[in-house]
Amino acid sequence: METTEPEANVTRIMLAVNESSIKGYPHASISSRGAFEWTIQKIVRSNTSGFKLLFLHVQAPHEDGFEDMDGIYAFPEDFKTMKHRDQTRGLHLLEYFVTRCHEIGVACEAWVKEGDPKEVICRQAKRMRPDLLVVGNRGLGPFQRVIAGTVSEFCVKHAECPVVSIKRSPGETPRDPVDD
Amino acid sequence: METTEPEANVTRIMLAVNESSIKGYPHASISSRGAFEWTIQKIVRSNTSGFKLLFLHVQAPHEDGFEDMDGIYAFPEDFKTMKHRDQTRGLHLLEYFVTRCHEIGVACEAWVKEGDPKEVICRQAKRMRPDLLVVGNRGLGPFQRVIAGTVSEFCVKHAECPVVSIKRSPGETPRDPVDD
């Protein structure tokens, strides 16, 4: 994508995005979509050539393969297929954001990584040195946070770059606020 | 100041600014200047008509008048003079930022308020509903934070709008990092 300003001079915003816990892949979570819309509407605005968005999706590895218990895994290749399918799902999630950026006319790049999301996001932020990291936030209460964990709080505390955490609006919150 | 977009549609960024603990009024602290420069260079960029900056300076009230012990306070009017002088100092601090905005061509407003800075900042953010609150951060370690307190951590946790905390670069940190 062409930009009117040299790459080194654009503002690079990293967005950590994940899949919907309600609809599953390839749908983006409510808070990821909210964080993206906030970035476009409030920060990028009409200045599409001044920004580049870096989308990062982190997949937690299957610890016990629970999600795939219906399948039969007899050979090492079967597990490779599983891993490949997961990565493909992650790519389809990113496709949503990359397509939106293309429509809007803002430059972007996207990655799928595997690992503990909060740690991988901070590690990638350290490596890529974005000017700002934007993370969605379900806006959970203290009790729900203990159960669900919050990636955003960890990133606000540990990422080496400026971080902004975008809460879901009350109108977007599902009946069970842990859902996203 | 004229804007090409209607006021309701600009991105409103609140910046909490304070005076230098080294040079005193009217000089801005290192972290306030850093937060301002980050906002201009990384967010506003060339899109000056798309943003409005709201500067807020909060003065903690004199609890015991220590700073004014050299003066003679015999009449109630003397204390009024003191308070008036403080407000004037606060205005001169804001003058720096307002002048910079005027030079750059970005719309702004500025306020001086009195009270506990972290609480007043959150209260004003609730009242004014900015799209983003930017606060400077000295980047203190855990031990220094206990002594010096951090307004930025409180705002990140309690403000109802998105908040970004901008750390001083290591090169800008004075010999005593509690200084600013």
Side-chain angles (χ1 to χ4, degrees):
Chain A
M1 190 169 291
E2 279 185 64
T3 57
T4 55
E5 302 185 56
E7 161 87 9
N9 192 32
V10 300
T11 294
R12 295 160 69 249
I13 301 183
M14 180 177 274
L15 278 128
V17 297
N18 62 352
E19 77 280 18
S20 167
S21 65
I22 306 166
K23 298 187 200 168
Y25 283 114
H27 302 281
S29 66
I30 297 166
S31 44
S32 297
R33 277 184 283 126
F36 173 70
E37 297 300 335
W38 180 87
T39 304
I40 293 294
Q41 289 168 25
K42 301 300 181 184
I43 304 296
V44 174
R45 303 184 57 94
S46 60
N47 187 13
T48 48
S49 64
F51 293 86
K52 182 169 193 171
L53 305 190
L54 313 172
F55 296 100
L56 173 63
H57 172 52
V58 184
Q59 296 182 312
H62 291 280
E63 284 183 6
D64 45 18
F66 259 154
E67 281 181 35
D68 290 276
M69 277 180 72
D70 289 341
I72 297 170
Y73 296 93
F75 301 98
E77 286 70 26
D78 295 339
F79 292 93
K80 281 186 193 152
T81 312
M82 184 179 82
K83 195 170 170 182
H84 177 73
R85 200 175 61 227
D86 280 357
Q87 286 182 335
T88 306
R89 286 166 167 171
L91 289 176
H92 283 299
L93 165 68
L94 290 172
E95 192 181 359
Y96 167 79
F97 293 103
V98 172
T99 304
R100 286 290 314 278
C101 282
H102 189 81
E103 288 164 0
I104 294 161
V106 65
C108 70
E109 289 177 20
W111 289 265
V112 178
K113 291 276 175 186
E114 199 180 74
D116 180 3
K118 62 185 188 302
E119 284 169 14
V120 175
I121 293 166
C122 291
R123 202 182 314 139
Q124 291 296 314
K126 185 174 183 174
R127 193 174 72 83
M128 305 203 56
R129 304 180 162 274
D131 297 302
L132 179 63
L133 168 64
V134 181
V135 286
N137 176 338
R138 285 169 289 182
L140 301 178
F143 181 66
Q144 295 158 335
R145 279 209 298 271
V146 170
I147 298 170
T150 86
V151 170
S152 62
E153 270 184 16
F154 185 92
C155 293
V156 164
K157 203 162 177 182
H158 297 284
E160 291 183 11
C161 62
V163 183
V164 64
S165 155
I166 306 296
K167 276 190 200 138
R168 288 187 305 206
S169 65
E172 287 175 316
T173 302
R175 193 178 300 176
D176 180 349
V178 173
D179 283 340
D180 194 24
Chain B
M1 191 168 294
E2 279 186 64
T3 58
T4 54
E5 303 185 54
E7 160 87 11
N9 192 31
V10 300
T11 293
R12 295 159 69 249
I13 299 182
M14 179 176 275
L15 278 128
V17 296
N18 63 352
E19 78 280 18
S20 167
S21 65
I22 306 166
K23 299 188 200 167
Y25 282 116
H27 302 280
S29 66
I30 297 166
S31 45
S32 297
R33 277 184 284 125
F36 173 70
E37 296 301 335
W38 181 86
T39 304
I40 293 294
Q41 289 168 24
K42 301 300 181 183
I43 304 297
V44 174
R45 302 185 56 96
S46 59
N47 187 12
T48 48
S49 64
F51 293 85
K52 182 170 194 170
L53 305 191
L54 313 172
F55 295 100
L56 173 64
H57 172 52
V58 184
Q59 296 181 312
H62 289 280
E63 284 183 5
D64 46 19
F66 259 154
E67 283 181 34
D68 290 274
M69 275 179 73
D70 289 341
I72 297 170
Y73 296 91
F75 301 98
E77 287 72 24
D78 295 337
F79 293 92
K80 281 185 194 154
T81 311
M82 183 177 81
K83 193 171 172 180
H84 176 71
R85 200 174 60 225
D86 280 357
Q87 286 181 335
T88 306
R89 286 166 168 172
L91 289 176
H92 283 299
L93 166 68
L94 291 172
E95 191 181 1
Y96 166 78
F97 294 103
V98 171
T99 303
R100 286 291 313 275
C101 282
H102 190 81
E103 289 164 358
I104 294 162
V106 64
C108 70
E109 290 177 20
W111 290 265
V112 178
K113 291 275 174 186
E114 199 180 75
D116 180 1
K118 62 186 189 301
E119 285 170 13
V120 175
I121 294 167
C122 291
R123 202 183 312 137
Q124 291 297 315
K126 185 174 183 173
R127 193 173 71 81
M128 305 203 57
R129 302 179 164 276
D131 297 301
L132 179 64
L133 168 63
V134 181
V135 286
N137 176 339
R138 284 170 287 184
L140 302 178
F143 182 67
Q144 294 157 337
R145 280 208 298 272
V146 170
I147 298 170
T150 84
V151 170
S152 61
E153 269 184 17
F154 186 92
C155 293
V156 165
K157 204 163 177 182
H158 297 283
E160 292 184 11
C161 62
V163 183
V164 64
S165 156
I166 305 297
K167 276 191 200 135
R168 288 188 304 207
S169 65
E172 287 175 317
T173 303
R175 194 176 301 177
D176 180 350
V178 173
D179 283 340
D180 194 24

